[in-house]
Amino acid sequence: MKYDFDTIVDRRNTNSLKWDVKENELPMWVADMDFKTAPCVIESLNNRVNHGVFGYSIVPDSWYDAYIKWWKERHNFEIEKQWLIFSTGVVPAISSIVRKLTTVAENVVIQSPVYNIFYNSIINNGRKVLESPLVYDEGKYSIDFEDLREKLSNPQTTLMILCNPHNPVGKIWDKETLIKIGKLCKENNVVVLSDEIHCDITIPNKTYIPFASVNEECKQNSVTCISPTKAFNLAGMQSSAVMIANKFLRDKVERGLNTDEVAEPNVFATTVATAAFNEGGPWLDALRKYISDNKDLVTDYIEKNIPKIKVVDAEATYLMWLDCKTITSDSEKLASFIRHETGLYLTAGDHYGKGGEGFLRMNVACSKEIVIEALDKLDKAIKLVYEKLDLGGDLL
């Protein structure tokens, strides 16, 4: 079956966070796709709406079965039903887990540049961010394990948030790396909270490795957040799961999620997840190919037309990480200039912490037509930057 990702869906005036912008602006910032979700999900919602009664909901067995089936077939990992807890979203779950598994003023390790909301979940709860910056070398990212060891060995460090696959750099961590992270965390009595929300948006013929799948040590010392919302564009449905094999950790987290009132589904939350995981595979595979083609389009265009920018090769997510350091290290100023001059709205890399300076993040989960429009705007903006330089002005 052929799926249509080329048709542009007008999202203006629909209360869309992403598209709440001026008429002349093109938003390619927040991690939110512009595609309609899978037809099977829309059909499941229509059926539920036609029922006409929208009272309190429970989590049905079909929801558990769908997660178990998907992870076994897609990711070669067998989840047991009792390991799964419903939550209203990965971000609410992370904040709740930080509160439950750590105490005020303790350290939470993150690997910057990384999803900016991690910082909020740590700081807003009175905990301390401890960054272990990734190593960036010749367009590729790796882990500085000596630095990570030092941060984990701090007596006040009790939790590490792992981003797997990593947002914004698009890195899929290999098995050996995950094992090494797990060993260091276990040795230092640090629990791993693995955010795996981007796991299903990988390039064709490439899959991610669940942290809990690599060995028993990692399985028993981790809490994993998973969801269909990124892959199927369902963020507004508030549906996710927390997966925990260790009963002691699971009981603590379940109490925390219930105390924070983020463990009960709205009337559509389990419906969309069940439909997506049971029937959405073919649609998702077509989507991954389309996004991969968009990434190739961006890479080729920038190499030919904007060589001052380097595209970081990414294996996952629909986000592109653009190295603009030869232009400026002030990505906030660069992003503001691009938006002001052309309307193209990208995210400044320094939003993602140490190591994000001089980068921009671009969301390419949209039609090719929009991607081409965005690239033309980016090209125009960078030319304007250098025109200012030629006239003796400041870089930005």
Side-chain angles (χ1 to χ4, degrees), residues 5 11 18-19 30-37 201 228-234 283-284 287 291 318 363-366:
F5 300 109
R11 299 184 64 193
K18 180 180 182 181
W19 283 89
V30 70
D32 177 332
M33 294 195 288
D34 287 335
F35 307 119
K36 289 184 179 181
T37 190
I201 302 290
T229 54
K230 281 290 180 279
F232 291 91
N233 206 22
L234 298 169
W283 178 88
L284 180 64
L287 172 76
I291 289 171
Y318 47 72
N363 177 350
V364 296
C366 54

Side-chain angles (χ1 to χ4, degrees), residues 251-366:
D251 289 346
K252 286 177 72 71
V253 170
E254 187 166 27
R255 175 61 64 88
L257 294 171
N258 278 281
T259 299
D260 293 336
E261 302 296 347
V262 294
E264 295 179 358
N266 67 57
V267 73
F268 302 116
T270 58
T271 297
V272 295
T274 302
F277 288 145
N278 281 340
E279 305 171 61
W283 178 88
L284 180 64
D285 290 337
L287 172 76
R288 291 165 61 211
K289 176 63 167 63
Y290 193 90
I291 289 171
S292 180
D293 289 346
N294 277 354
K295 287 184 171 185
D296 290 342
L297 174 63
V298 171
T299 301
D300 292 344
Y301 183 100
I302 288 178
E303 284 181 354
K304 292 173 184 174
N305 299 284
I306 325 174
K308 292 289 186 182
I309 295 177
K310 303 299 180 186
V311 178
V312 175
D313 187 30
E315 302 165 304
T317 82
Y318 47 72
L319 307 164
M320 301 201 70
W321 191 234
L322 308 179
D323 181 353
C324 306
K325 292 196 299 298
T326 60
I327 302 170
T328 180
S329 61
D330 192 336
S331 55
E332 185 67 50
K333 198 174 280 188
L334 179 59
S336 295
F337 180 86
I338 293 169
R339 186 176 183 183
H340 179 265
E341 294 295 330
T342 69
L344 177 60
Y345 182 7
L346 306 178
T347 309
D350 51 12
H351 289 193
Y352 306 102
K354 194 176 295 183
E357 307 88 352
F359 287 84
L360 297 173
R361 195 185 79 166
M362 173 186 279
N363 177 350
V364 296
C366 54

Side-chain angles (χ1 to χ4, degrees), residues 80-126:
E80 296 182 17
K81 179 182 177 181
Q82 65 268 24
W83 297 355
L84 292 168
I85 308 167
F86 176 87
S87 65
T88 57
V90 167
V91 169
I94 288 173
S95 292
S96 182
I97 293 162
V98 166
R99 284 191 292 274
K100 196 64 181 178
L101 297 187
T102 68
T103 60
V104 171
E106 287 184 338
N107 299 326
V108 180
V109 170
I110 55 177
Q111 296 172 298
S112 58
V114 73
Y115 181 44
N116 54 305
I117 304 302
F118 288 175
Y119 293 86
N120 297 354
S121 295
I122 298 165
I123 295 168
N124 292 347
N125 286 302

Side-chain angles (χ1 to χ4, degrees), residues 138-163:
E138 296 186 358
K140 297 186 181 300
Y141 280 91
S142 60
I143 294 173
D144 181 346
F145 275 104
E146 285 307 309
D147 181 76
L148 182 60
R149 183 190 307 275
E150 179 187 339
K151 303 294 170 57
L152 292 173
S153 66
N154 186 311
Q156 287 299 304
T157 300
T158 52
L159 186 70
M160 174 179 173
I161 303 180
L162 173 69
C163 201

